[in-house]
Amino acid sequence: MKESVFLNLEEIHLFSRGELHNAYTKFGAHIIEDNGVLGTYFAVWVPEAKSVSVAGDFNGWKAKQDWMIETGDTGVWTLFIPEKLTGLYKFAIQTKNDEVFLKSDPFAFYSELRPLTASKLYSLEGYHWRDQHWIASRVKSHPQDKPLLIYEVHAGSWHRKRDGGFYHWLDFTDELIRYILEMGYTHIEFMPLMEHPYDGSWGYQITGYYSCTSRFGTPHDFMYFVDCCHRAGIGVILDWVPGHFCKDGHGLGKFNGSSVYEKDEHGKWGTYTFNFSKPEVWSFLISNAIFWFDKFHIDGLRIDGVSSMLYLDFEKPDKGWERNIQGGRENLEAIAFMQRLNEVVFQDFPGVLMAAEESTDWPLVSYPTYVHGLGYNFKWNMGWMNDTLRYMQREFACRKDNHNLLNFSLTYAFSENYVLPLSHDEVVHGKQSLLDKMPGDYWQKFAGLRNLISYQMGHPGKKLMFMGGELAQFIEWRYDAELDWLLLDYEMHKKFQEYIKHFNKLYQREKAFWENDHEWSGFEWIDADNRNQSILIFCRRGKDPKDFLIIIINFQPVAYRNFRLGVPQRGIYQELFNSDQEIFGGSGCLNNTAPKVTERIRWHGRTFSLRIKVPPLATIILKPQYKYKLRRGGVACLPTKIISNWHTLPKSVKRKV
C-alpha cells in the first residue's frame, strides 16, 4: 500500500511552473489511503478538455461513468475511487469538439505488451534494495577520474530464447551480468527501455516514459536486475529520449485533440518534438529523469538527439523554422530545459552520468551551468568516431593522404569530457559491420579491427562498444534476431573476443588509460605526423609522473624489424601488450623476449630512444620498469614501480641507459 495525499494546489502550481520534479508521485494512478479509506487515485494533465474520465477493466471500459474533476482551469484532472483497483485502464478525453480519445496514462508505471496499448495499475513499492554500498560509493565518486567501459545493449536482440522469444530480466541476470564481468566492462548501457509500440524504432519512439517496457518482465524484475548489477560492481545506464516522441494515437500526441506536449513534427524521424516553451513539459520530463534514478537506481542517462533539441532548424528546410527572439537558430527554451535538468539531477543524485549525444561543435556541453554550459558531465565524441571510421575504411595505399583524420581529434580532445562511441548507429542501414568496414584480406580485416579498438582504448576519453562488436560480426546488426553467437565456433572470432577481453582488463588495471582523460597532462604525442608509414606514437599518463604508457599503432600491413622510437625518459621498458599475439589472431611478432634498454640516441625530439619490432597492422604498448633483478644473460623485469637497485645493474647495461 502506498501512503500518499491528493495532489494539492501548491504541487499543481509547481507543476505549471516546471518545478514539480517528483510529479510521478502524484500524477498517474496510485493506491492511497484517505481518511481511513483505501482507494485508487488518478491524476492527469489535459488542458482545454471538455471532460475526462477513467475507463478500464474495473468499470467495463465505460467512458461515461467515472468522471474526473478539473482543479480550476489548470488542466489537472483528478479522481479518487474508494476501491483498490487492479487491471487495465485508459483516460477517456472529450475535446471541445466533442471528439473522444482513449489515451494511455502518461505517468503509468507499467503497460500492456504491444500491440496492446492499455496502462496497467501497478505499484512500484515493495522491492527491498541491497545495493546500499554501491550507491554510497557512487555519491563520492568522480566519473571523469574512473575507468569507464560501456557495453551498449539492445535487450531485444542480445540473446533470444530457443523459440525466438525475448529474454526475461531473470535470464539477463543470469547471463548478461556474468558476460559483462567475464569481458571486463564496467557499465551496461541499454537502448531505451521505456514503453514503445514498434520494435523497429529500437525504443527511440516512446509512448510510456514512466513505463518500463513489458517485453522483458515487470518493473520489479528490472529492479532486481539493476540491484544484481550493482552488487556485482556493474553500472547501468539508460538511453533517454526527451527530444521527440511517436505519433501513435494512444500516446502523448494530440493529447486533447490538439497539441499539448508537442511543438511540431520532426520530418525526418516521423515524430513530434516536445514543446519546451511549456513549463508543464519541463515538469513531465525532469520528473521522468529523476524517476529512473529514484525508483530504479540507475547510474546514468545517455540523452539521445541533443543536437535536434539545440537547433530550431535541425533537419528542416531553409524556411521551415522560425528564429528565436534574438534572431538566432538556437532553441533557447530547450537549452534552458537541459541546463535545469542537469542541475536537478546532479543535486539529487551526485556521481551519476549524464551523457549528451551531441554531434555538432556546440561549446561547453559538459561544462556546469554556472559557466553557461549545458550541464552534462559527458559528451559523445562523434567527431572522433566519424573521422576514425573514415580513415579505417580507406585502402592501405590511400591512408598516408588521410593521416589527418587520425590526429585531428587531439586538437579538441580536452575541450569536453568525452565518451568515444562505436555504437549501434555505425553498424546499420548499409554502413557495414565494423569488421566489414576494414580493407584487405581476411587476416587483415581482423588485424585492422584490432587496431581500431586499440586506438579507441588508447585515445583520451571513456569508451563505448555496441554489442556484437566484440564478436567481430560480419553482418550488420538486426534488431529482430539475436547476435551471431555461433561465430565463436570460428577461430578468428573467438580470438578477437579474447583480444577485447584482455584489453578491457588491461585498461582497468592501468590508471594511465583513464585517470587524466579530461586534460592534456594525461596525453603526449611522440610522433603524430608519420603519414608515410601510417604510424601513430603517443603517451598516456596517470597522475603519478612515473606512471605512463607508450602506445605505437601501425596502420599499414608492413612490418619493421628495427624501428627506432624516442621515449620520454631513459631506463628499461617492457612490452606490456601486443595485438599481434597469436592468441589474438596475430602473426606473433613480439618484443617480449627481453626488456628494452634505452640508448642515448636522439629520436623523435627526445634524448633517449629504443629499437623495437613493429608488426603489421598492430598495436604495441610499452611500460617503463623501475625495478628488476639480474639473471644470467640479461635483465628480468618485475612489474613494480620503485627504483631500488640501480647499483646492481651490469656496467654494460648501465652504459646503454
Side-chain angles (χ1 to χ4, degrees), residues 410-431:
L410 267 300
T411 64
Y412 60 85
F414 308 106
S415 62
E416 303 275 2
N417 297 322
Y418 280 117
V419 173
L420 308 183
L422 292 173
S423 75
H424 63 275
D425 277 328
E426 310 320 312
V427 292
V428 291
H429 300 324
K431 294 180 182 178

Side-chain angles (χ1 to χ4, degrees), residues 286-298:
I286 294 177
S287 291
N288 187 240
I290 295 298
F291 168 79
W292 291 99
F293 289 113
D294 176 24
K295 294 300 184 181
F296 293 94
H297 290 206
I298 65 161

Side-chain angles (χ1 to χ4, degrees), residues 49-75:
K50 190 171 183 179
S51 68
V52 182
S53 63
V54 183
D57 290 340
F58 62 92
N59 64 9
W61 290 94
K62 296 175 182 177
K64 297 182 179 182
Q65 178 169 312
D66 291 292
W67 300 100
M68 305 182 77
I69 299 173
E70 183 179 13
T71 303
D73 59 356
T74 63

Side-chain angles (χ1 to χ4, degrees), residues 253-438:
K254 307 294 183 184
F255 202 68
N256 66 354
S258 60
S259 297
V260 174
Y261 289 89
E262 67 268 33
K263 181 179 181 180
D264 53 22
E265 297 187 18
H266 192 295
K268 182 177 180 180
W269 295 338
T271 54
Y272 291 126
T273 60
F274 276 105
N275 189 342
F276 293 107
S277 67
K278 290 187 176 182
E280 295 89 349
V281 170
W282 285 37
S283 288
F284 176 79
L285 288 173
I286 294 177
S287 291
N288 187 240
I290 295 298
F291 168 79
W292 291 99
F293 289 113
D294 176 24
K295 294 300 184 181
F296 293 94
H297 290 206
I298 65 161
D299 302 286
L301 292 173
R302 176 264 193 186
I303 290 74
D304 180 70
V306 169
S307 300
S308 71
M309 301 165 66
L310 288 173
Y311 299 99
L312 294 168
D313 62 344
F314 184 83
E315 299 287 353
K316 293 181 179 178
D318 292 341
K319 297 182 180 180
W321 57 281
E322 295 182 5
R323 296 185 180 275
N324 62 38
I325 58 174
Q326 299 173 356
R329 56 194 283 256
E330 301 83 8
N331 189 334
L332 301 179
E333 291 88 358
I335 293 166
F337 160 77
M338 286 187 276
Q339 291 173 323
R340 186 59 184 148
L341 163 72
N342 289 312
E343 289 170 351
V344 173
V345 167
F346 289 125
Q347 175 181 311
D348 291 354
F349 299 95
V352 300
L353 285 74
M354 293 291 283
E357 187 217 12
E358 207 288 299
S359 57
T360 73
D361 58 357
W362 188 279
L364 306 180
V365 172
S366 59
Y367 284 69
T369 58
Y370 60 77
V371 295
H372 306 294
L374 291 183
Y376 296 99
N377 57 356
F378 287 101
K379 173 182 174 176
W380 273 28
N381 194 335
M382 310 295 281
W384 170 87
M385 179 271 298
N386 285 314
D387 285 350
T388 302
L389 290 181
R390 282 172 59 200
Y391 177 86
M392 296 303 298
Q393 289 177 278
R394 295 290 192 268
E395 294 295 331
F396 302 122
C398 300
R399 287 187 169 181
K400 67 178 181 179
D401 296 324
N402 291 274
H403 195 72
N404 62 300
L405 292 174
L406 285 179
N407 56 29
F408 178 71
S409 58
L410 267 300
T411 64
Y412 60 85
F414 308 106
S415 62
E416 303 275 2
N417 297 322
Y418 280 117
V419 173
L420 308 183
L422 292 173
S423 75
H424 63 275
D425 277 328
E426 310 320 312
V427 292
V428 291
H429 300 324
K431 294 180 182 178
Q432 303 173 283
S433 69
L434 292 180
L435 180 65
D436 209 25
K437 294 179 196 288
M438 302 299 113

